[in-house]
Amino acid sequence: MSDSRPIGVFDSGVGGLTVLQELRRQLPGESLVYLADLERFPYGPRPLAEVRERAFLVIEHLAEHDIKLVVIACNTATAAALNAARERFDIPIVGVIAPGAQAAAAATRNGRVAVISTQGTLDSGEYVHAIKEANPGIAVLGLAAPALVDIVEAGDAGTPRADEALRPLVDDIIEWGADTLVLGCTHYPLLRPSLRRAVARRRLRVIDSAETTASRVRRVIAANRLQNTAAGPAPAPRVLVTGPPARFVDTAARLFRSDLESPVAVRLQPPLAVAR
Ligand code: DGL
């Protein structure tokens, strides 16, 4: 039986669009709804408990769109909320940390993996757990790089500002001896051109979880018989935002050209307290 319900995807801003783009490529027949929680951007510096509560609200909102699966296209929200959300919601939920961690463990040749992420993701320890779950012999260097998120969200990816922020970071990572770098924040793949310049001629495998997460979603959908088997490609993804979408629209337009609907503003409502 065919299931035409959409897949819900969310992040604090534009970062999750890297995952959305890959979902679109790998699952062209599936409808997608993307929510950018711009009102609470950035998630990275907030306490994990606050990000978890917010993620619950976002998932509750997406559930109103009759989604069949949720992709937490944000490492910070995955670190803060994935396990708790799976206990709370009766819907399949996929995060971005395990797919990237497994890909990094498979890619490293010298057993030294660096992960750059937000402060929240670093503090959660989730990448260390996930990489060592795949192979406990791997050494992991975690570094927080919150400035990179602001650079991307401000539309400055690929500019000298991005190059300057990345150069010292990449130098430290290579000096530590990593042969593999995980982009542990979904905003970071948008920095690839600057990253290539910072790595220059040195060797560093770069893993971003967009591709690995999309293949995970593909497998989960198949295993649970949730595919939309109707003929033809799905309509353009629907986009919801919780705050002013100015910058978001620019970056989204660059990534998706015209293949994305104009964002619709939504308000996330905490559930009403039940009067006794
Ligand atoms: N894109 C998000 C992540 O993967 C977070 C950026 C932020 O809101 O700080 O962690």
Side-chain angles (χ1 to χ4, degrees):
M1 223 182 72
S2 180
D3 189 335
S4 62
R5 290 175 300 160
I7 296 171
V9 183
F10 77 94
D11 180 36
S12 58
V14 294
L17 291 175
T18 57
V19 179
L20 188 79
Q21 196 180 31
E22 194 54 34
L23 285 166
R24 191 123 171 85
R25 202 180 66 79
Q26 293 195 30
L27 296 157
E30 299 295 339
S31 301
L32 298 160
V33 183
Y34 183 85
L35 189 145
D37 191 11
L38 301 175
E39 191 191 10
R40 286 293 195 280
F41 171 87
Y43 282 174
R46 295 179 190 276
L48 290 170
E50 183 185 335
V51 177
R52 180 160 53 246
E53 285 310 311
R54 192 65 184 178
F56 287 170
L57 271 185
V58 172
I59 295 171
E60 270 155 23
H61 184 87
L62 287 171
E64 289 169 18
H65 291 260
D66 193 27
I67 47 172
K68 60 184 172 189
L69 181 140
V70 176
V71 181
I72 307 183
C74 169
N75 290 264
T76 315
T78 299
L82 178 64
N83 292 333
R86 282 177 173 162
E87 287 172 20
R88 188 182 175 114
F89 297 98
D90 188 19
I91 183 168
I93 305 179
V94 175
V96 282
I97 292 182
Q102 285 156 12
T108 182
R109 292 288 161 268
N110 71 356
R112 293 176 82 76
V113 173
V115 183
I116 52 174
S117 70
T118 65
Q119 193 63 50
T121 302
L122 177 66
D123 293 346
S124 76
E126 289 292 325
Y127 264 105
V128 177
H129 302 157
I131 293 171
K132 286 186 185 279
E133 182 61 33
N135 178 353
I138 294 175
V140 182
L141 171 70
L143 295 170
L148 299 181
V149 174
D150 293 328
I151 288 173
V152 170
E153 201 73 22
D156 285 343
T159 66
R161 184 180 169 209
D163 289 12
E164 268 157 44
L166 273 167
R167 212 174 305 118
L169 199 63
V170 169
D171 288 349
D172 286 351
I173 287 166
I174 290 177
E175 196 167 313
W176 179 77
D179 72 347
T180 303
L181 169 65
V182 179
L183 304 183
C185 171
T186 52
H187 279 69
Y188 299 167
L190 296 164
L191 293 162
R192 281 232 186 222
S194 295
L195 188 60
R196 263 194 295 276
R197 285 193 285 277
V199 173
R201 272 182 286 279
R202 298 170 292 184
R203 278 183 61 80
L204 191 64
R205 284 164 218 265
V206 177
I207 308 284
D208 81 62
S209 25
E211 199 182 317
T212 44
T213 301
S215 359
R216 179 89 206 281
V217 171
R218 193 155 37 82
R219 288 196 301 277
V220 171
I221 283 196
N224 294 287
R225 296 193 178 79
L226 294 171
Q227 298 108 317
N228 184 10
T229 51
R238 257 182 300 161
V239 182
L240 314 171
V241 290
T242 59
R247 282 289 182 195
F248 178 90
V249 171
D250 291 350
T251 312
R254 242 179 297 130
L255 273 174
F256 280 84
R257 299 195 177 83
S258 58
D259 197 17
L260 209 56
E261 288 193 357
S262 306
V264 173
V266 295
R267 271 176 65 88
L268 302 187
Q269 301 285 8
L272 292 175
V274 180
R276 289 176 184 269

PDB file of all heavy atoms in Angstrom, residues 44 115-123 141-149 165 169 173 184 188:
ATOM      1  N   GLY A  44      22.461  25.922  19.568  1.00  0.00           N
ATOM      2  CA  GLY A  44      23.751  25.445  20.090  1.00  0.00           C
ATOM      3  C   GLY A  44      24.128  25.920  21.478  1.00  0.00           C
ATOM      4  O   GLY A  44      24.589  25.129  22.298  1.00  0.00           O
ATOM      5  N   VAL A 115      35.575  15.996  15.490  1.00  0.00           N
ATOM      6  CA  VAL A 115      34.172  16.383  15.281  1.00  0.00           C
ATOM      7  C   VAL A 115      34.041  17.856  15.627  1.00  0.00           C
ATOM      8  O   VAL A 115      34.400  18.260  16.735  1.00  0.00           O
ATOM      9  CB  VAL A 115      33.221  15.589  16.210  1.00  0.00           C
ATOM     10  CG1 VAL A 115      31.769  15.970  15.922  1.00  0.00           C
ATOM     11  CG2 VAL A 115      33.424  14.087  16.071  1.00  0.00           C
ATOM     12  N   ILE A 116      33.561  18.655  14.690  1.00  0.00           N
ATOM     13  CA  ILE A 116      33.244  20.045  15.047  1.00  0.00           C
ATOM     14  C   ILE A 116      31.725  20.170  15.150  1.00  0.00           C
ATOM     15  O   ILE A 116      30.977  19.578  14.371  1.00  0.00           O
ATOM     16  CB  ILE A 116      33.848  21.088  14.064  1.00  0.00           C
ATOM     17  CG1 ILE A 116      33.489  20.788  12.608  1.00  0.00           C
ATOM     18  CG2 ILE A 116      35.351  21.177  14.231  1.00  0.00           C
ATOM     19  CD1 ILE A 116      33.948  21.891  11.634  1.00  0.00           C
ATOM     20  N   SER A 117      31.287  20.930  16.147  1.00  0.00           N
ATOM     21  CA  SER A 117      29.845  20.985  16.424  1.00  0.00           C
ATOM     22  C   SER A 117      29.522  22.239  17.218  1.00  0.00           C
ATOM     23  O   SER A 117      30.410  23.039  17.516  1.00  0.00           O
ATOM     24  CB  SER A 117      29.438  19.763  17.259  1.00  0.00           C
ATOM     25  OG  SER A 117      29.961  19.879  18.570  1.00  0.00           O
ATOM     26  N   THR A 118      28.271  22.368  17.603  1.00  0.00           N
ATOM     27  CA  THR A 118      27.888  23.430  18.532  1.00  0.00           C
ATOM     28  C   THR A 118      28.335  23.027  19.943  1.00  0.00           C
ATOM     29  O   THR A 118      28.682  21.870  20.195  1.00  0.00           O
ATOM     30  CB  THR A 118      26.365  23.623  18.558  1.00  0.00           C
ATOM     31  OG1 THR A 118      25.761  22.437  19.090  1.00  0.00           O
ATOM     32  CG2 THR A 118      25.806  23.925  17.182  1.00  0.00           C
ATOM     33  N   GLN A 119      28.249  23.994  20.867  1.00  0.00           N
ATOM     34  CA  GLN A 119      28.609  23.710  22.254  1.00  0.00           C
ATOM     35  C   GLN A 119      27.679  22.637  22.840  1.00  0.00           C
ATOM     36  O   GLN A 119      28.121  21.734  23.549  1.00  0.00           O
ATOM     37  CB  GLN A 119      28.514  25.009  23.081  1.00  0.00           C
ATOM     38  CG  GLN A 119      29.147  24.912  24.457  1.00  0.00           C
ATOM     39  CD  GLN A 119      30.650  24.648  24.386  1.00  0.00           C
ATOM     40  OE1 GLN A 119      31.375  25.330  23.663  1.00  0.00           O
ATOM     41  NE2 GLN A 119      31.124  23.652  25.118  1.00  0.00           N
ATOM     42  N   GLY A 120      26.390  22.749  22.535  1.00  0.00           N
ATOM     43  CA  GLY A 120      25.418  21.799  23.084  1.00  0.00           C
ATOM     44  C   GLY A 120      25.721  20.370  22.661  1.00  0.00           C
ATOM     45  O   GLY A 120      25.697  19.440  23.472  1.00  0.00           O
ATOM     46  N   THR A 121      26.030  20.187  21.385  1.00  0.00           N
ATOM     47  CA  THR A 121      26.346  18.846  20.878  1.00  0.00           C
ATOM     48  C   THR A 121      27.621  18.326  21.533  1.00  0.00           C
ATOM     49  O   THR A 121      27.692  17.174  21.963  1.00  0.00           O
ATOM     50  CB  THR A 121      26.504  18.879  19.341  1.00  0.00           C
ATOM     51  OG1 THR A 121      25.284  19.375  18.773  1.00  0.00           O
ATOM     52  CG2 THR A 121      26.797  17.507  18.777  1.00  0.00           C
ATOM     53  N   LEU A 122      28.629  19.206  21.647  1.00  0.00           N
ATOM     54  CA  LEU A 122      29.886  18.795  22.289  1.00  0.00           C
ATOM     55  C   LEU A 122      29.615  18.369  23.736  1.00  0.00           C
ATOM     56  O   LEU A 122      30.033  17.292  24.173  1.00  0.00           O
ATOM     57  CB  LEU A 122      30.894  19.957  22.256  1.00  0.00           C
ATOM     58  CG  LEU A 122      32.229  19.696  22.956  1.00  0.00           C
ATOM     59  CD1 LEU A 122      33.017  18.606  22.244  1.00  0.00           C
ATOM     60  CD2 LEU A 122      33.070  20.976  23.025  1.00  0.00           C
ATOM     61  N   ASP A 123      28.881  19.212  24.481  1.00  0.00           N
ATOM     62  CA  ASP A 123      28.626  18.926  25.900  1.00  0.00           C
ATOM     63  C   ASP A 123      27.859  17.623  26.094  1.00  0.00           C
ATOM     64  O   ASP A 123      28.010  16.954  27.102  1.00  0.00           O
ATOM     65  CB  ASP A 123      27.824  20.072  26.548  1.00  0.00           C
ATOM     66  CG  ASP A 123      28.635  21.358  26.634  1.00  0.00           C
ATOM     67  OD1 ASP A 123      29.871  21.293  26.444  1.00  0.00           O
ATOM     68  OD2 ASP A 123      28.031  22.427  26.881  1.00  0.00           O
ATOM     69  N   LEU A 141      38.401  13.722  18.879  1.00  0.00           N
ATOM     70  CA  LEU A 141      38.655  15.102  19.313  1.00  0.00           C
ATOM     71  C   LEU A 141      37.396  15.917  19.019  1.00  0.00           C
ATOM     72  O   LEU A 141      37.001  16.053  17.862  1.00  0.00           O
ATOM     73  CB  LEU A 141      39.833  15.693  18.523  1.00  0.00           C
ATOM     74  CG  LEU A 141      40.083  17.196  18.707  1.00  0.00           C
ATOM     75  CD1 LEU A 141      40.612  17.492  20.113  1.00  0.00           C
ATOM     76  CD2 LEU A 141      41.072  17.721  17.656  1.00  0.00           C
ATOM     77  N   GLY A 142      36.757  16.427  20.058  1.00  0.00           N
ATOM     78  CA  GLY A 142      35.555  17.241  19.859  1.00  0.00           C
ATOM     79  C   GLY A 142      35.879  18.716  20.025  1.00  0.00           C
ATOM     80  O   GLY A 142      36.552  19.100  20.973  1.00  0.00           O
ATOM     81  N   LEU A 143      35.434  19.524  19.103  1.00  0.00           N
ATOM     82  CA  LEU A 143      35.660  20.971  19.191  1.00  0.00           C
ATOM     83  C   LEU A 143      34.355  21.700  18.913  1.00  0.00           C
ATOM     84  O   LEU A 143      33.635  21.356  17.968  1.00  0.00           O
ATOM     85  CB  LEU A 143      36.689  21.417  18.135  1.00  0.00           C
ATOM     86  CG  LEU A 143      38.121  20.896  18.266  1.00  0.00           C
ATOM     87  CD1 LEU A 143      38.913  21.244  17.006  1.00  0.00           C
ATOM     88  CD2 LEU A 143      38.801  21.496  19.495  1.00  0.00           C
ATOM     89  N   ALA A 144      34.057  22.714  19.734  1.00  0.00           N
ATOM     90  CA  ALA A 144      32.867  23.528  19.468  1.00  0.00           C
ATOM     91  C   ALA A 144      33.264  24.665  18.536  1.00  0.00           C
ATOM     92  O   ALA A 144      34.311  25.283  18.711  1.00  0.00           O
ATOM     93  CB  ALA A 144      32.309  24.089  20.769  1.00  0.00           C
ATOM     94  N   ALA A 145      32.437  24.926  17.535  1.00  0.00           N
ATOM     95  CA  ALA A 145      32.730  25.998  16.576  1.00  0.00           C
ATOM     96  C   ALA A 145      31.462  26.821  16.335  1.00  0.00           C
ATOM     97  O   ALA A 145      30.950  26.876  15.215  1.00  0.00           O
ATOM     98  CB  ALA A 145      33.272  25.398  15.280  1.00  0.00           C
ATOM     99  N   PRO A 146      30.951  27.460  17.416  1.00  0.00           N
ATOM    100  CA  PRO A 146      29.661  28.148  17.292  1.00  0.00           C
ATOM    101  C   PRO A 146      29.673  29.304  16.288  1.00  0.00           C
ATOM    102  O   PRO A 146      28.649  29.591  15.663  1.00  0.00           O
ATOM    103  CB  PRO A 146      29.386  28.665  18.712  1.00  0.00           C
ATOM    104  CG  PRO A 146      30.692  28.608  19.437  1.00  0.00           C
ATOM    105  CD  PRO A 146      31.523  27.562  18.763  1.00  0.00           C
ATOM    106  N   ALA A 147      30.849  29.937  16.103  1.00  0.00           N
ATOM    107  CA  ALA A 147      30.902  31.082  15.194  1.00  0.00           C
ATOM    108  C   ALA A 147      30.513  30.671  13.776  1.00  0.00           C
ATOM    109  O   ALA A 147      29.938  31.463  13.015  1.00  0.00           O
ATOM    110  CB  ALA A 147      32.302  31.681  15.195  1.00  0.00           C
ATOM    111  N   LEU A 148      30.799  29.417  13.426  1.00  0.00           N
ATOM    112  CA  LEU A 148      30.519  28.959  12.059  1.00  0.00           C
ATOM    113  C   LEU A 148      29.021  28.965  11.766  1.00  0.00           C
ATOM    114  O   LEU A 148      28.589  29.216  10.638  1.00  0.00           O
ATOM    115  CB  LEU A 148      31.082  27.553  11.840  1.00  0.00           C
ATOM    116  CG  LEU A 148      32.596  27.377  11.998  1.00  0.00           C
ATOM    117  CD1 LEU A 148      32.991  25.928  11.713  1.00  0.00           C
ATOM    118  CD2 LEU A 148      33.358  28.318  11.059  1.00  0.00           C
ATOM    119  N   VAL A 149      28.224  28.682  12.801  1.00  0.00           N
ATOM    120  CA  VAL A 149      26.772  28.663  12.614  1.00  0.00           C
ATOM    121  C   VAL A 149      26.280  30.072  12.262  1.00  0.00           C
ATOM    122  O   VAL A 149      25.489  30.263  11.329  1.00  0.00           O
ATOM    123  CB  VAL A 149      26.074  28.157  13.901  1.00  0.00           C
ATOM    124  CG1 VAL A 149      24.566  28.277  13.769  1.00  0.00           C
ATOM    125  CG2 VAL A 149      26.468  26.721  14.193  1.00  0.00           C
ATOM    126  N   ALA A 165      37.698  31.956   9.802  1.00  0.00           N
ATOM    127  CA  ALA A 165      37.240  31.188  10.970  1.00  0.00           C
ATOM    128  C   ALA A 165      37.675  29.726  10.856  1.00  0.00           C
ATOM    129  O   ALA A 165      37.984  29.083  11.858  1.00  0.00           O
ATOM    130  CB  ALA A 165      35.719  31.278  11.072  1.00  0.00           C
ATOM    131  N   LEU A 169      41.086  26.389  12.885  1.00  0.00           N
ATOM    132  CA  LEU A 169      40.395  25.185  13.360  1.00  0.00           C
ATOM    133  C   LEU A 169      40.932  23.945  12.640  1.00  0.00           C
ATOM    134  O   LEU A 169      41.282  22.931  13.250  1.00  0.00           O
ATOM    135  CB  LEU A 169      38.902  25.373  13.055  1.00  0.00           C
ATOM    136  CG  LEU A 169      37.893  24.533  13.799  1.00  0.00           C
ATOM    137  CD1 LEU A 169      37.954  24.839  15.285  1.00  0.00           C
ATOM    138  CD2 LEU A 169      36.485  24.870  13.282  1.00  0.00           C
ATOM    139  N   ILE A 173      43.145  20.632  13.985  1.00  0.00           N
ATOM    140  CA  ILE A 173      42.635  19.269  13.775  1.00  0.00           C
ATOM    141  C   ILE A 173      43.688  18.406  13.077  1.00  0.00           C
ATOM    142  O   ILE A 173      43.930  17.258  13.454  1.00  0.00           O
ATOM    143  CB  ILE A 173      41.321  19.339  12.952  1.00  0.00           C
ATOM    144  CG1 ILE A 173      40.202  19.878  13.857  1.00  0.00           C
ATOM    145  CG2 ILE A 173      40.953  18.001  12.339  1.00  0.00           C
ATOM    146  CD1 ILE A 173      38.959  20.324  13.113  1.00  0.00           C
ATOM    147  N   GLY A 184      29.744  18.079  12.483  1.00  0.00           N
ATOM    148  CA  GLY A 184      28.721  17.696  13.448  1.00  0.00           C
ATOM    149  C   GLY A 184      27.674  18.760  13.673  1.00  0.00           C
ATOM    150  O   GLY A 184      27.158  18.923  14.781  1.00  0.00           O
ATOM    151  N   TYR A 188      27.180  23.266   8.766  1.00  0.00           N
ATOM    152  CA  TYR A 188      28.555  23.287   8.273  1.00  0.00           C
ATOM    153  C   TYR A 188      28.761  22.830   6.818  1.00  0.00           C
ATOM    154  O   TYR A 188      29.690  23.318   6.163  1.00  0.00           O
ATOM    155  CB  TYR A 188      29.483  22.475   9.191  1.00  0.00           C
ATOM    156  CG  TYR A 188      29.579  22.971  10.621  1.00  0.00           C
ATOM    157  CD1 TYR A 188      30.155  22.177  11.614  1.00  0.00           C
ATOM    158  CD2 TYR A 188      29.125  24.232  10.998  1.00  0.00           C
ATOM    159  CE1 TYR A 188      30.259  22.610  12.924  1.00  0.00           C
ATOM    160  CE2 TYR A 188      29.212  24.662  12.306  1.00  0.00           C
ATOM    161  CZ  TYR A 188      29.772  23.845  13.270  1.00  0.00           C
ATOM    162  OH  TYR A 188      29.880  24.271  14.569  1.00  0.00           O
TER     163      TYR A 188
END
